[in-house]
């Protein structure tokens, strides 16, 4: 069980989290091994699974899979490149701080499906082969359908948007994303007028993602949700690329949500399913620890996390340079989204709403 202790700073203690899913998953994991000694069994079993995944069939022989040489060597070889580099949309400038370097944006990541205990995720992505990719649409829609991502990207006008990015852990960057407005994708899904929420589910590929294999206590796959009015907001973005090229695997290839007025965890990576509801669906972190991670999770310096302040953030300019700066209400996107949240505190004396 040694690896259960390896958690990032913002994650809850194991003793504090007792969601049903944790025990359900761990129980079925132990059961699948037919053993009670989870530590020993885990090590043995995962070593085998990892070895299988690190090899590939080439011309009838088993070869070791090539490992990425660096964080920019993880753009899937068959990613759709039509429309790149896209013209920047000038409506979303970030005047008060510079763009973060490409290397830090692709080497300091949270992608728990690869490993929750490190930001250095890119070396773990060799086995992940995203393409071809489909997105399944279901729930309260006129008709369920499946999008082929390559065809979807080719049918959209790609644009670039420079956005502030703020993690709940209080670090931040400024990143140029390539993609299209989430509203355009929602429209193509043809939701019923009675649908009020939309849920996004990430891919679940234990053979390709070591964090799914090695951390069975999480309720995989990762899932997130928004109110429809949030999803239709002009700022909500589907990213298929960053820095003028398709997404690296660790940044969420082949597509992810970017919701810059919310904490980063509201933006699921590697989305493969979209469902519409007339009631609020659960979300990964809110289900795990509702006292710490709310459904709305808007960036708000007036709502401290129960264990740390959110008033300031560590802005990462590049791998060697960071700066402590003040956090902006709605991360500086109040002009677009402020009217969606009349009850959120505009100053430090307001009510605490997560
Ligand atoms: N999506 C999935 N599927 N799995 C994850 O672990 N982490 C979230 C979010 N989306 C996560 C995810 C968190 S906590 C953050 S801060 C951002 O992705 C990080 O995005 P980045 O690595 O591109 O900076």
């Amino acid at each position: 069980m040694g690896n259960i202790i390896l958690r990032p700073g913002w994650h809850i203690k194991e003793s504090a989290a007792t969601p049903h899913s944790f025990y359900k998953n761990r129980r079925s994991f132990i059961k699948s091994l037919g053993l009670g000694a989870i530590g020993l069994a885990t090590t043995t079993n995962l070593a085998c699974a990892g070895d299988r995944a690190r090899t590939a069939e080439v011309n009838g022989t088993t070869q070791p899979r090539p490992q990425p040489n660096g964080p920019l060597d993880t753009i899937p070889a068959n990613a759709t490149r039509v429309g790149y580099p896209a013209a920047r949309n000038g409506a979303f400038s970030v005047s008060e701080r510079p763009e973060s370097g490409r290397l830090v944006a692709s080497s300091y990541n949270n992608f728990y499906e690869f490993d929750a205990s490190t930001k250095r995720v890119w070396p773990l992505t060799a086995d992940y082969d995203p393409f071809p990719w489909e997105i399944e649409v279901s729930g309260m829609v006129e008709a369920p359908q499946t999008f082929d991502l390559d065809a979807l990207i080719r049918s959209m006008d790609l644009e670039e948007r420079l956005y502030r990015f703020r993690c709940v852990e209080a670090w931040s960057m400024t990143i140029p994303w390539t993609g299209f407005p989430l509203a355009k994708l929602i429209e193509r899904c043809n939701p019923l007028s009675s649908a009020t929420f939309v849920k996004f589910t990430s891919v679940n590929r234990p053979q390709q993602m070591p964090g799914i294999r090695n951390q069975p206590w999480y309720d995989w796959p990762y899932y997130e949700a928004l109110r429809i009015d949030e999803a239709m907001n002009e700022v909500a973005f589907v990213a298929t690329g960053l820095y003028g090229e398709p997404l690296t695997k660790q940044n969420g290839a082949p597509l992810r949500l970017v919701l810059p007025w919310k904490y980063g965890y509201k933006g699921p990576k590697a989305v493969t399913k979209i469902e519409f509801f007339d009631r609020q669906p659960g979300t990964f972190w809110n289900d795990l620890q509702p006292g710490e991670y709310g459904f709305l999770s808007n960036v708000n310096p007036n709502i401290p996390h129960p264990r740390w302040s959110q008033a300031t953030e560590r802005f990462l300019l590049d791998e060697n340079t960071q700066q402590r700066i003040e956090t902006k209400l709605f991360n500086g996107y109040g002009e677009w989204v402020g009217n969606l949240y009349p009850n959120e505190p505009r100053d430090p004396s307001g009510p605490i709403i997560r």
Side-chain angles (χ1 to χ4, degrees):
M1 297 263 292
N3 45 2
I4 290 183
I5 298 161
L6 296 174
R7 290 216 160 111
W10 65 289
H11 187 56
I12 50 175
K13 287 196 184 109
E14 189 188 357
S15 59
T18 54
H20 173 67
S21 54
F22 177 96
Y23 289 102
K24 185 185 69 185
N25 286 354
R26 191 165 63 176
R27 270 207 304 271
S28 57
F29 185 61
I30 295 169
K31 216 166 138 194
S32 73
L33 298 173
L35 296 163
I38 190 171
L40 175 69
T42 310
T43 313
T44 314
N45 188 53
L46 296 177
C48 298
D51 289 348
R52 267 200 310 277
R54 275 192 296 273
T55 57
E57 290 291 319
V58 179
N59 299 332
T61 58
T62 304
Q63 307 272 341
R65 274 184 188 267
Q67 298 299 303
N69 290 318
L72 304 182
D73 190 30
T74 57
I75 298 172
N78 45 2
T80 310
R81 283 185 177 265
V82 172
Y84 289 87
R88 184 168 291 189
N89 182 339
F92 299 100
S93 62
V94 180
S95 53
E96 80 288 358
R97 66 198 216 194
E99 186 175 302
S100 296
R102 190 176 179 186
L103 268 185
V104 71
S106 293
S107 58
Y108 191 89
N109 301 101
N110 278 334
F111 203 164
Y112 280 23
E113 286 86 334
F114 293 101
D115 190 347
S117 69
T118 181
K119 298 276 184 270
R120 205 168 173 274
V121 170
W122 64 264
L124 307 170
T125 61
D127 301 324
Y128 176 47
D129 280 330
F131 289 95
W133 192 266
E134 290 187 336
I135 304 164
E136 222 180 85
V137 179
S138 63
M140 299 182 71
V141 287
E142 279 170 24
Q145 58 179 317
T146 301
F147 295 120
D148 170 69
L149 182 63
D150 183 71
L152 184 72
I153 292 176
R154 286 167 190 272
S155 73
M156 292 282 183
D157 285 331
L158 296 188
E159 58 179 276
E160 182 175 81
R161 293 189 183 186
L162 184 66
Y163 273 167
R164 299 178 196 90
F165 184 86
R166 172 65 155 81
C167 177
V168 73
E169 296 164 331
W171 53 266
S172 66
M173 299 193 205
T174 313
I175 300 181
W177 302 100
T178 304
F180 48 86
L182 177 57
K184 289 200 173 163
L185 180 55
I186 301 283
E187 278 161 16
R188 294 208 192 171
C189 295
N190 296 322
L192 300 179
S193 56
S194 46
T196 45
F197 290 89
V198 54
K199 176 179 174 183
F200 303 89
T201 304
S202 299
V203 78
N204 189 6
R205 295 189 185 172
Q207 283 301 313
Q208 299 186 6
M209 300 174 132
I212 296 185
R213 295 197 298 275
N214 299 354
Q215 306 164 127
W217 47 90
Y218 287 117
D219 193 15
W220 306 114
Y222 195 94
Y223 53 103
E224 257 304 338
L226 297 169
R227 295 185 333 217
I228 291 278
D229 60 345
E230 298 182 297
M232 295 300 286
N233 185 275
E234 213 184 324
V235 191
F237 201 59
V238 177
T240 56
L242 78 172
Y243 295 90
E245 288 197 84
L247 286 174
T248 66
K249 295 179 190 177
Q250 64 273 20
N251 285 111
L255 87 162
R256 56 141 347 136
L257 295 194
V258 179
L259 313 164
W261 75 100
K262 292 183 178 287
Y263 291 118
Y265 66 87
K266 287 294 295 181
K269 297 176 170 184
V271 171
T272 188
K273 200 197 268 187
I274 305 179
E275 293 163 278
F276 292 85
F277 296 90
D278 60 1
R279 57 179 171 80
Q280 184 176 306
T283 59
F284 189 85
W285 287 109
N286 187 236
D287 284 348
L288 194 61
Q289 188 61 314
E292 300 206 3
Y293 309 106
F295 178 83
L296 287 179
S297 293
N298 295 318
V299 176
N300 192 329
N302 307 311
I303 306 179
H305 184 276
R307 290 185 283 120
W308 60 84
S309 165
Q310 295 289 23
T312 65
E313 63 202 55
R314 204 162 45 89
F315 172 63
L316 306 181
L317 178 63
D318 57 38
E319 310 91 276
N320 307 310
T321 321
Q322 44 179 287
Q323 195 190 348
R324 181 61 58 180
I325 59 172
E326 289 194 352
T327 291
K328 293 172 180 284
L329 179 66
F330 301 124
N331 210 17
Y333 297 94
E335 182 189 333
W336 287 276
V337 300
N339 63 337
L340 298 176
Y341 313 105
N343 299 327
E344 277 219 16
R346 265 57 179 175
D347 64 65
S349 60
I352 291 184
I353 299 162
R354 294 199 167 83

